Each structure stands twice: as structure tokens, then as C-alpha cells.
């Protein structure tokens, strides 16, 4: 009886060790495969949670530039010497006819020399004078600031790049146009209450109003109530937005 028990014990112990060995090998293989897999990073919240709305606004603006501005701009723009990018700041106002009418223009950051900036500004001013673009149902206020980055010179495949932009779904590249254009607009987050920099939102400044001790810690964002969009001609909101 004792001999049988010993044999049984040895048999069961052998089986157990075999199972432990297989499990250990499987664990090692699983760990090895896991190390080869890239770490999955959580996607950042883009545009204060309004990514698709921002992309739609950028495409609407680029539709305006494509149809109303580029046909009048190309010949003059080709004469602007140099190579780089130039930031154009457009001010549009509500024309009370369902559109945004061009009001004023100035230059922001530029890679070009001052004389090239002057030439580019004159070209753009001549192309945007007396133009307008459509209002959307979500557009509020009486003013729309558009901060757009333009390449100098325009690429030879402008039409193809515009087509790719209209087909883009966002989340590619960097910045507001996929090429690093900085975000220049503001939005308010819900909780905790804070001002965030986004590509499409409200015109700065954005401030936090604290209602004091008697409010139970109530705070609110305060913005100008004027529309704002930043980006570029050949892309939409990319993958990296700095808050």
C-alpha cells in the first residue's frame, strides 16, 4: 500500500512539474512578445473635444480661400521671391447677409525678409478685398479672426494638395494644419474650469472668473465671444495641440 502511494505520488509530482515547466515557458514567451509590442499611448483630447467641428470649420475656410482668393492670388504670389512661410491675420465682420465679409489684414510671423513681407501683404490684400465666406449655424458674434499660414512659393501641385486636404479626417501631422501651424484660439474646458488653446474656438483673451468664497468655489471662463480659427491652406487639425 505504501509502495503504491509512493508510485502515485511520484507520478503526480512528475505531472505537476511538467505542467509548471510548460506554464513557465508560456509565461516567458508571452513576456517576450509583449516587449516587442509598442506601448499604446492614450490619444490626447483634441480641440477641447470638438475635433470634427474644428476640421469642418477649417475646410469651410479653405473652401473660401480655394474658390475666392487663390484664383486672384497665384500670379502675384509667384512674384514674391524667397522660400518659407508667412502668417496672415484676417479680420472678417458679420455682413448681416449670412456671411463674413473681409475687413482687414496684417502679417504675423514670417520666414521672409521685410521687403518680401510687404510684397506678400500687397498680393494678399488685393486678392481678399471685397470677398466673403459663408456663416455656419454655430458661428456667433460679429467678428471672425482667421490666422492662416501660407507657403512661399505656392507648391506646383496646389490643386492636388487642396484635394487631399478636403479628404483628410485630421489627427495627422502636427499643429493646426498638419505642418506645425500654431494654435491661436481659445476655448473653455468644463471641469476643472480652465482656458485651453485650440485651433478653432474663440478669439483671445480667455480669463477665469472666480465668484469668491460665498459661491462654493464656482468659477467660469470668460471669452470675447468672437470667432477664431488658426491653421493653414493644405491641412487640417493635426495630432499635437499644446494646451
Amino acid at each position: 500500500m505504501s509502495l503504491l502511494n509512493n508510485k502515485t505520488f511520484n507520478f503526480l509530482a512528475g505531472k505537476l512539474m511538467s505542467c509548471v515547466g510548460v506554464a513557465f515557458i508560456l509565461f516567458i514567451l508571452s513576456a517576450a512578445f509583449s516587449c516587442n509590442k509598442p506601448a499604446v499611448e492614450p490619444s490626447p483630447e483634441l480641440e477641447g473635444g470638438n475635433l470634427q467641428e474644428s476640421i469642418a470649420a477649417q475646410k469651410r475656410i479653405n473652401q473660401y480661400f480655394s474658390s475666392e482668393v487663390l484664383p486672384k492670388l497665384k500670379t502675384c504670389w509667384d512674384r514674391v521671391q524667397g522660400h518659407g512661410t508667412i502668417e496672415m491675420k484676417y479680420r472678417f465682420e458679420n455682413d448681416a447677409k449670412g456671411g463674413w465679409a473681409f475687413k482687414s489684414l496684417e502679417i504675423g510671423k514670417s520666414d521672409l525678409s521685410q521687403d518680401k513681407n510687404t510684397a506678400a501683404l500687397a498680393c494678399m490684400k488685393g486678392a481678399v478685398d471685397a470677398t466673403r465666406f459663408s456663416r455656419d449655424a454655430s458661428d456667433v458674434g460679429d467678428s471672425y479672426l482667421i490666422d492662416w499660414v501660407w507657403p512661399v512659393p505656392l507648391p506646383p501641385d496646389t490643386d492636388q494638395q487642396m484635394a487631399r486636404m478636403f479628404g483628410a479626417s485630421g489627427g495627422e501631422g502636427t499643429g493646426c494644419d498638419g505642418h506645425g501651424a500654431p494654435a491661436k484660439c481659445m476655448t473653455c474646458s468644463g471641469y476643472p474650469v480652465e482656458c485651453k488653446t485650440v485651433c478653432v474656438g474663440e478669439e483671445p483673451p480667455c480669463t477665469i472668473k472666480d465668484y469668491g468664497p460665498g459661491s462654493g468655489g464656482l468659477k467660469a471662463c470668460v471669452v470675447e465671444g468672437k470667432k477664431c480659427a488658426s491653421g493653414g491652406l493644405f491641412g487640417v487639425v493635426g495630432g499635437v495641440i499644446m494646451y
Side-chain angles (χ1 to χ4, degrees):
M1 188 73 176
S2 176
L3 180 61
L4 179 62
N5 287 340
N6 286 340
K7 286 182 177 179
T8 302
F9 175 80
N10 289 337
F11 174 77
L12 292 175
K15 287 291 186 182
L16 178 62
M17 291 301 294
S18 177
C19 290
V20 170
V22 171
F24 180 74
I25 292 171
L26 290 175
F27 172 77
I28 293 297
L29 290 174
S30 176
F33 283 123
S34 297
C35 289
N36 290 331
K37 292 181 180 180
V40 178
E41 297 291 341
S43 298
E45 179 188 330
L46 297 180
E47 293 299 281
N50 297 313
L51 178 61
Q52 295 308 313
E53 292 86 346
S54 293
I55 291 172
Q58 289 182 321
K59 289 184 178 181
R60 176 162 54 102
I61 292 168
N62 271 334
Q63 181 61 56
Y64 153 73
F65 282 129
S66 176
S67 60
E68 300 294 325
V69 178
L70 272 174
K72 296 183 287 184
L73 179 70
K74 283 183 176 179
T75 301
C76 183
W77 203 255
D78 287 342
R79 295 196 293 265
V80 178
Q81 301 299 309
H83 190 279
T85 59
I86 183 169
E87 175 188 3
M88 293 282 179
K89 299 181 179 183
Y90 309 80
R91 172 75 62 187
F92 290 82
E93 291 187 348
N94 183 1
D95 65 1
K97 298 178 182 178
W100 293 106
F102 171 73
K103 180 68 175 180
S104 63
L105 176 68
E106 64 180 88
I107 290 178
K109 184 179 179 181
S110 173
D111 296 332
L112 308 178
S113 61
Q114 184 57 47
D115 60 322
K116 305 296 190 303
N117 287 338
T118 301
L121 182 64
C123 286
M124 187 63 71
K125 183 79 164 49
V128 298
D129 266 342
T131 63
R132 60 194 293 275
F133 72 98
S134 62
R135 289 175 64 93
D136 186 75
S138 63
D139 290 351
V140 296
D142 294 321
S143 177
Y144 206 133
L145 175 66
I146 296 178
D147 194 307
W148 235 236
V149 175
W150 289 73
V152 178
L154 290 170
D157 60 342
T158 293
D159 293 340
Q160 289 82 357
Q161 289 204 37
M162 291 297 290
R164 285 195 292 270
M165 177 275 303
F166 286 125
S169 58
E172 300 172 355
T174 60
C176 294
D177 62 348
H179 303 284
K184 295 294 185 71
C185 308
M186 305 300 297
T187 192
C188 295
S189 70
Y191 184 83
V193 176
E194 60 179 334
C195 294
K196 292 184 176 181
T197 303
V198 289
C199 297
V200 179
E202 306 288 333
E203 184 177 344
C206 173
T207 57
I208 302 296
K209 182 177 180 180
D210 190 332
Y211 287 88
S215 68
L218 180 63
K219 295 180 180 180
C221 284
V222 180
V223 290
E224 293 290 309
K226 299 176 181 179
K227 290 293 292 182
C228 172
S230 46
L233 193 63
F234 299 115
V236 293
V237 183
V240 178
I241 304 298
M242 299 304 293
Y243 289 144

